[in-house]
Amino acid sequence: MSDEISIAAGNATAPGQAGEGVSPAPGAAGRKVFVKTYGCQMNVYDSERMTDALVPQGFSATDSVEDADLIILNTCHIREKAAEKVYSELGRLRKLKAARAESGKQTMIGVAGCVAQAEGEEIARRAPVVDLVFGPQTYHRLPELVTRARAGESVVETEFEIEAKFRHLSTPSSAPAPTGRRGPVSAFLTVQEGCDKFCTFCVVPYTRGAEVSRDVDQIVAEAERLAARGVREVTLLGQNVNAWHGEGPDGRAWGLGELLHRLAGVEGLDRLRYTTSHPRDMDDALIAAHRDLPEVMPYLHLPVQSGSDRILKAMNRRHTRDDYFRLIDRIREGRPDLALSCDFIVGFPGETDADFRDTMDLIERVGFASAFSFKYSPRPGTPGATMDAHVPEAVMNERLQELQALVAQQQKAFNESLVGTSCDVLVEKRGRNPGQVTGRSPWLQPVQIDADESLIGEIVAVEITGREANSLFARRVAGQDGGQAHPQRVRA
């Protein structure tokens, strides 16, 4: 998954979510938790579930780190200097913890996620301000870990327990949102974790473990609870989400295409997305789901990383550029209006000018609506970190700028092609300005609409009237809301 963006937020848990009705632990009522989330969408999902797990302990979420009794850094290990960023943040929190202690207030600090998984004991040794360290597969045990830490134990829990995590995964209750409060209209739902691909640049198999899939019944139950609370769009998450093969109610392993058909039948769910996918796991059933299900949005994030066969082999991607071209042709044959997003790494060890030109050629031939691109950064413990012929920083910078300029040009062209067309938009929140709301197009761009906020949670028909680099502007088309035909671009 693409990551490198740090999101600081207390992940609010609305009343009625998991744990409601459970008596808090003695003396625990009124405590607050602040979670700072780094990185990918799965970390965002994990952070929300951490907060859910703490509700029975009397915790509620806060957006203010200064008010928190428990502060958790949910970390990402994909990009360079991830651990250094964590230690820098812990230095600031050490001062906050000391200041609060002087006023008689206890503050606990936890480090979670992939940096915790990779460097658990080192974090405990190097940063004694930390009370508990736990990996991404153990947050379902968070209440127990907090209790142990409050008793004075230095807690480090980084054993892989993905199956146990899925069995204990808390889910929102089906109770409607309280009067006067809107719940989210879109949500993430983890269906798969871990990775068996072992790309030579990637640390995920070492921090998230092997691929494990949740069962169909558990996924559907969570989707139904979300829909009952007003969620209309669900994004299925996994490190290799299209490798998902969960046990179905009939006892056999289902594939993602079959799961999408089942979720399309959940009352109240109008939109389905999934991320992140691997080209080798894009099977016929999943391609057919894009063709046949109007609920599956015409947007696909399908990382290729490089356009050079030589570099793809060195990355252990186990596909070629021609494999990727043929796959894109098959997908677009069934869904011509599909918008493609991608990941690219420049400067992988041994990448020559010719290899980079192959990547630029692939981008030009495929055409992307958006992309995430990065300079290669060696991750400790991965094969790529021991490879020779590392590309100079200046060369990587030059290549990255050239690649990003081409992708920006394609993104601009794609957004421009939407101006004057009509589509459905799921309205999510207030807009930038008074009298404006913001939603998501079928192709995932933010859309600014001049309309009243009473439309939040509705799917409205709009005409795209303008665009910026990363967003669109639109006006409502009266009398056409709520349609769920394939949202192909239609000239207004």
Side-chain angles (χ1 to χ4, degrees), residues 237-293:
L237 298 180
Q239 268 82 34
N240 282 314
V241 69
N242 58 341
W244 175 88
H245 282 87
E247 182 179 344
D250 53 6
R252 62 181 179 82
W254 290 22
L256 188 62
E258 196 167 3
L259 177 64
L260 288 170
H261 274 274
R262 174 65 182 87
L263 292 175
V266 173
E267 184 177 357
L269 283 188
D270 297 292
R271 292 185 164 198
L272 299 171
R273 304 183 189 270
Y274 61 93
T275 194
T276 291
S277 300
H278 194 288
R280 294 183 62 244
D281 294 316
M282 202 80 196
D283 62 19
D284 291 340
L286 185 52
I287 294 173
H290 277 277
R291 180 194 66 209
D292 299 335
L293 293 176

Side-chain angles (χ1 to χ4, degrees), residues 452-481:
D452 187 82
E453 64 183 77
S454 62
L455 289 177
I456 293 173
E458 300 298 323
I459 295 175
V460 300
V462 303
E463 178 191 355
I464 306 300
T465 58
R467 58 105 192 143
E468 289 183 347
N470 299 305
S471 62
L472 303 172
F473 296 91
R475 65 170 182 86
R476 282 189 74 187
V477 178
Q480 296 185 23
D481 295 347

